[in-house]
Amino acid sequence: MNYRIIGDSCMDLTEEQRKDPHFTLIPFTLMVEDHQFVDDKNFNQKEFLKIVKESPECPKTACPSPETFKEAYCCEEENVFVITISSHLSGCYNSAVLAKNLYEEEFGTGKKNIVVIDSESASTGEVNLALYVQELCEQNIPFEEIVKKTLEYRDRQKTYFVLETLDTLRKNGRLTGLQAFFATKLNIKPVMGADHGVIIKLDQARGIQKALQRMVEIVVKDAGTVEDKCLTIAHCNAPERAQYVKEKFEQAAKFKKIIVTETAGLATVYAGDGGIIVAV
């Protein structure tokens, strides 16, 4: 199949996956006071984290414009799959949908197949969806069947994360219906998840290592049979922590594949230094 998979820059592909010409990432813009970062291949995570740490202000984000998405749709491929961060967390999905409408108004609906999929996740969840779409495309499955199967996959998938702090999520209003965790002096770390793109608290533990171990236990229990499932781990400036989590998963279950990647700019904003995100 002649295909293109377009994601926003919260799709935390590995370096190797980013080299695949089938993938295109549309960058968010990140702001900290008067500093502005484009979330593309030139994003400097360490510099960004340093500025965030030194700033009294919370970082802000701006999703890609419809025009940016529309330009990406003007590719040679006839089948275009667009995967965005959860619509509960960003306006990116709406921007991509508007771009589809603008494209079809200009070029007509018969020129190519375009679908915009709300991942109801972020980071690793977007990665898993993209790899699943690619797997189906390589099997030459019809476009509409790929869309159907991908939505079913999305509805089965779950996302989990453990962060050093929830302050950024709280300050940016991403913890709707939840209070930011207050027991930081006791070193209590929450194990968080997502319910159709809405952030929820699953459990808690004293200290980051115990919280990560608890997350592994919850993931394995929720996942059931895992031999045919891909698990993706993203870390924010914490490769050793990601390796620890990977080893714990390998000890607990036999997943089809475990991928470890790094957070790009947008996921870095919300995961924060040391954050771990998992999707399966």
Side-chain angles (χ1 to χ4, degrees):
M1 175 184 279
N2 190 341
Y3 68 94
R4 171 81 57 164
I5 300 170
I6 297 174
D8 55 51
S9 59
C10 195
M11 183 185 287
D12 289 321
L13 298 171
T14 65
E15 286 189 24
E16 182 179 355
Q17 290 163 349
R18 286 170 181 264
K19 296 175 184 176
D20 187 328
H22 290 105
F23 293 115
T24 296
L25 296 181
I26 311 297
F28 272 75
T29 302
L30 319 175
M31 294 83 70
V32 187
E33 296 184 51
D34 57 349
H35 300 278
Q36 184 166 300
F37 296 80
V38 178
D39 189 11
D40 59 14
K41 62 182 180 180
N42 298 314
F43 173 72
N44 187 322
Q45 186 187 67
K46 291 192 181 332
E47 179 188 359
F48 178 79
L49 288 170
K50 180 176 182 292
I51 291 173
V52 169
K53 185 176 181 179
E54 294 172 350
S55 174
E57 295 186 16
C58 188
K60 303 294 183 183
T61 66
C63 69
S65 68
E67 188 60 36
T68 309
F69 274 109
K70 179 172 171 283
E71 289 176 8
Y73 300 165
C74 295
C75 54
E76 294 180 357
E77 290 78 9
E78 297 174 0
N79 299 284
V80 178
F81 302 88
V82 189
I83 300 171
T84 74
I85 184 174
S86 169
S87 58
H88 292 284
L89 301 175
S90 168
C92 192
Y93 171 77
N94 292 333
S95 184
V97 170
L98 178 55
K100 176 179 182 290
N101 294 337
L102 293 173
Y103 179 91
E104 291 177 344
E105 283 178 11
E106 182 172 347
F107 299 105
T109 57
K111 185 173 177 62
K112 62 175 64 182
N113 298 314
I114 303 175
V115 63
V116 182
I117 297 173
D118 179 351
S119 72
E120 297 188 351
S121 181
S123 182
T124 52
E126 291 181 63
V127 172
N128 281 357
L129 278 174
L131 296 180
Y132 184 72
V133 168
Q134 183 172 45
E135 181 181 322
L136 297 179
C137 288
E138 295 294 337
Q139 296 173 21
N140 286 320
I141 293 174
F143 181 85
E144 293 300 334
E145 184 67 15
I146 292 176
V147 174
K148 178 176 179 290
K149 287 179 176 291
T150 302
L151 292 175
E152 291 171 349
Y153 181 99
R154 178 199 65 186
D155 292 342
R156 295 192 303 268
Q157 179 175 249
K158 293 186 178 181
T159 309
Y160 309 81
F161 57 95
V162 172
L163 312 182
E164 289 284 1
T165 174
L166 298 179
D167 280 353
T168 301
L169 286 169
R170 177 182 60 81
K171 290 176 181 177
N172 280 292
R174 299 319 195 258
L175 294 178
T176 305
L178 287 174
Q179 292 184 344
F181 216 70
F182 60 86
T184 52
K185 291 182 179 178
L186 299 176
N187 198 28
I188 301 294
K189 303 296 182 185
V191 179
M192 309 294 286
D195 181 10
H196 295 289
V198 178
I199 296 173
I200 58 174
K201 179 186 163 192
L202 300 173
D203 207 341
Q204 65 188 51
R206 179 74 60 87
I208 193 77
Q209 295 296 96
K210 289 183 179 178
L212 292 171
Q213 178 62 49
R214 183 67 188 121
M215 178 182 69
V216 170
E217 293 168 358
I218 293 171
V219 170
V220 171
K221 180 181 178 182
D222 288 351
T225 302
V226 300
E227 285 78 4
D228 62 341
K229 294 180 179 177
C230 174
L231 180 140
T232 301
I233 302 165
H235 68 86
C236 180
N237 194 36
E240 293 180 357
R241 186 172 289 175
Q243 183 61 30
Y244 168 82
V245 173
K246 179 174 182 284
E247 291 172 359
K248 289 296 180 183
F249 275 118
E250 289 172 337
Q251 294 167 10
K254 293 185 178 181
F255 288 89
K256 176 183 178 182
K257 181 190 295 184
I258 298 180
I259 297 170
V260 177
T261 187
E262 300 180 52
T263 58
L266 188 70
T268 293
V269 170
Y270 295 113
D273 204 358
I276 295 288
I277 310 165
V278 172
V280 62

